[in-house]
Every structure is written in C-alpha cells, then in structure tokens.
Amino acid sequence: MTDEASAGSGAAAEVAFLASYDPRDYEPVAVTVDVVALTIRPVGSPAGEPVPTLHVLLVQRGQAPFEGRWALPGGFIRTTVGPDGSRAEEDLGEAAVRELAEETGLAASPDRRAADRRLGRIHLEQLGTYGTPGRDPRMRVISVAYLAFAPDLPDPTAGGDAASAAWLPVTSVRRDEMAFDHARILAHGLERARSKLEYTPLATAFVAAEFTVTELRAVYETVWGQPLHAPNFHRKVLSAPGFVEDTGATTARGGARGGRRARLYRAGPARLLHPALLRPGHEESR
C-alpha cells in the first residue's frame, strides 16, 4: 500500500470513528476560568497619608450555590452559535480576559481605545488547574485559574450572576467564607505573585509606563508585606541587567520633603532577574 493510500485509509477510519463516537458514554464535565486579579490601591491610614495596599478583585455571588459569598471573578467557557449555525468556541485565555473586562467594567466602557489600552497593560498568566471532585456542588467542574497583575484598574462593575463586585484589601478577605475552593486558588495566586517578583521583572506590571525606583520599591513592599532597605533595593534594581531602563527624564518635582527630582525609568527587556531580588528572610534558605 502506498503512503497516499495508507493516509487515505487512516483518514477514512477516523471519520468513521468520529461519526460513531457518542460523548454521552462519559460523565459530563464543565470547564470554567477563574481569575486572581491583583492591583495596588491607596488606603487611608490613621495618620491621614494613603498607604499603598494590595487588593484583589472579588465578586459577591447573587445566586446559589454559595449565594452571598465572595468569589473570584470567573465563569463557564462560552460557545456562541452564528446565524448560519456555525459554532465558535472560546479559548481559555479569551475567557479569562472577557471575565476580567466584564467585572472591571472595561467591557462596557464607551471609550474602546482607552479600555483596550488598559487591558493591554494587564499581565495575564495561567496559574493552575483545579478539579477536585465536589469543588462545585452542581456537577464535575474543572477550573483553569489565571493570575492577573495590573496598575490603575477602575472600580468594578458586577456582571453575570454577581450581586456586587469590589476591590478588597487582601488582608481583609475572610478566606474561610469564600465560595467553592477559591480561598485555595487565591492563596496560590498570592504566593505566585510574591515569588515571581523575586525572579522576574513583573513588578513593573503594577506601576505606570514610567516610574521611579521608589515607586517600584513600594510594589515590592506592598506585595511582600515587608519594608525594604531603600539604598540596598536601589542598588539591586540597577545591578540587574535589563530590569529597568533610564528614560533620561525626571519627575516634575522633588519628593514630599523636597530635595532632588527623581529619575524616571521604564521596564527593560529582561525576562528573568539575575541576580534575583529575594524576599527578606529567604536569602539564607536558598
């Protein structure tokens, strides 16, 4: 048998197999996406000065199961049917971006260019897959979770079956009262964010396109929840090749106490930091 004949026979066998295949022979499984979206927002303090604080985007469920409980934004993968009957199946990353855009209100923004620019600044990466039996009481549900970092995201707008949505300080979230297994997913997302700041330049995803080293240090202190020695941090940032690039510009004015104007930097081309910026207390154990 020639190669062409063999290939044709194999294709015919596959067509016959698919024609007789019945997915109802197997237990139904649904696929969802969940998003751990993190940003830094100022929170008032007793001293009156706003304090940069790590926030997570949560939605309050408006219906069962877990009605009234806080959950990560997410939902089922969608399939749309066109006028001609054609089916368009949503990819996982597309679903994560859609859910994030809907809950942040960017999907409904009248200024599409501005909304797309803000969405374009979001760093989105796959966090993990969660499929423990019973995690959803309705049926067997496999969730693919994503982690998102972004600066300056707007106040959220609840969509879908959510009663409300809010950016909540991570430290104030009652994880034991969260819906599904979202407390576990949130914990994994926070640890991923903290560790990635050690070895990658993703801290720049929390700041504006141009930033000072002080603003960058505030990101590390906020995400890690620890104060850092300013001169040491400045030295480490500038000694990591490709981490940041000097724009040649400075801030319009000096700091709150006066003094020289600070240099402005932009994110550099590096994908990994060498040497790494390890968390205080982690240097000795690695």
Side-chain angles (χ1 to χ4, degrees):
M1 182 179 291
T2 65
D3 290 343
E4 292 80 1
S6 177
S9 175
E14 182 161 342
V15 169
F17 166 77
L18 292 175
S20 63
Y21 180 81
D22 189 350
R24 292 173 297 181
D25 291 340
Y26 303 92
E27 289 292 326
V29 176
V31 179
T32 64
V33 295
D34 292 307
V35 183
V36 181
L38 302 174
T39 195
I40 294 175
R41 292 186 148 214
V43 172
S45 70
E49 289 291 328
V51 177
T53 304
L54 185 64
H55 285 67
V56 61
L57 179 61
L58 295 181
V59 298
Q60 191 173 35
R61 289 187 56 79
Q63 61 187 44
F66 302 107
E67 182 176 0
R69 293 200 183 190
W70 290 105
L72 298 169
F76 290 93
I77 301 296
R78 290 181 180 176
T79 299
T80 57
V81 180
D84 60 351
S86 61
R87 295 167 61 87
E89 296 183 348
E90 195 174 38
D91 196 8
L92 293 169
E94 293 173 344
V97 171
R98 172 181 56 77
E99 288 289 347
L100 190 56
E102 289 176 355
E103 300 298 350
T104 57
L106 291 176
S109 172
D111 188 342
R112 289 310 317 158
R113 288 187 177 180
D116 290 342
R117 282 197 300 270
R118 295 174 93 168
L119 285 171
R121 284 226 60 205
I122 296 174
H123 171 83
L124 188 72
E125 66 177 67
Q126 198 170 117
L127 175 63
T129 305
Y130 300 83
T132 303
R135 62 181 299 274
D136 190 314
R138 294 169 292 189
M139 63 181 298
R140 185 70 187 272
V141 176
I142 308 298
S143 180
V144 180
Y146 282 79
L147 178 64
F149 303 156
D152 188 32
L153 283 174
D155 291 333
T157 301
D161 60 358
S164 62
W167 288 105
L168 297 180
V170 167
T171 54
S172 71
V173 176
R174 298 285 299 271
R175 299 191 199 179
D176 58 331
E177 297 179 0
M178 292 184 71
F180 306 104
D181 56 354
H182 288 188
R184 179 184 177 218
I185 299 175
L186 174 58
H188 290 173
L190 290 171
E191 180 54 32
R192 170 76 68 87
R194 288 164 180 153
S195 63
K196 293 212 75 164
L197 261 60
E198 294 183 293
Y199 295 98
T200 75
L202 284 180
T204 58
F206 284 99
V207 292
E210 295 186 353
F211 52 86
T212 67
V213 172
T214 298
E215 290 169 338
L216 193 65
R217 175 165 54 86
V219 172
Y220 278 86
E221 292 180 331
T222 301
V223 176
W224 284 350
Q226 296 175 279
L228 301 176
H229 187 267
N232 284 349
F233 179 83
H234 194 282
R235 174 181 54 80
K236 290 177 180 179
V237 167
L238 298 186
S239 66
F243 186 6
V244 298
E245 295 179 341
D246 194 333
T247 66
T250 61
T251 55
R253 61 185 65 183
R257 300 180 181 179
R260 295 184 303 173
R261 293 182 293 179
R263 286 184 175 274
L264 289 171
Y265 296 85
R266 67 171 68 93
R271 293 294 175 264
L272 294 174
L273 300 183
H274 184 75
L277 276 71
L278 299 182
R279 281 172 274 182
H282 284 222
E283 293 91 339
E284 298 79 5
S285 60
R286 300 186 182 182

